Amino acid sequence: MELLSVQSRGALFTICIFLIAVVIVHVAKLAILGWCAYKKREPKKQAEKPEPQEPVYYLVEKKKKTSPQYKKPKKFKFQK
């Protein structure tokens, strides 16, 4: 007893080959990206230790508050 006809077997094999090719292409692209990122990475520094830095102090000047100076109010004359 035949499960699939010849045409459906051909279609199934074609779809499988297409999917396998797509997977292979994407895996190759990801491998190339990973290899390039690995090569660009800086080498590890083994012997160098960072020197302790001296603390930095900032001088902050406080602004003096000046008392507000008000002008005399203007006088308005209304006509009756």
Side-chain angles (χ1 to χ4, degrees):
M1 179 166 79
E2 299 262 340
L3 294 177
L4 295 173
S5 66
V6 175
Q7 290 87 4
S8 58
R9 276 191 213 164
L12 182 64
F13 286 134
T14 304
I15 291 171
C16 288
I17 290 172
F18 176 75
L19 291 176
I20 290 170
V22 168
V23 168
I24 289 172
V25 167
H26 282 85
V27 167
K29 283 186 177 182
L30 286 173
I32 290 170
L33 283 174
W35 182 255
C36 290
Y38 177 75
K39 288 180 94 177
K40 286 182 182 177
R41 190 173 59 179
E42 293 181 10
K44 294 181 181 177
K45 297 179 181 177
Q46 297 175 357
E48 291 184 29
K49 290 185 181 179
E51 296 177 8
Q53 296 180 353
E54 296 181 16
V56 178
Y57 298 101
Y58 295 100
L59 297 176
V60 179
E61 294 181 8
K62 291 184 180 180
K63 293 184 179 179
K64 295 180 181 177
K65 290 184 179 179
T66 58
S67 60
Q69 297 176 359
Y70 297 108
K71 297 179 182 176
K72 289 186 178 180
K74 293 182 181 178
K75 291 184 181 180
F76 294 101
K77 292 183 182 179
F78 295 103
Q79 295 178 356
K80 288 188 182 181

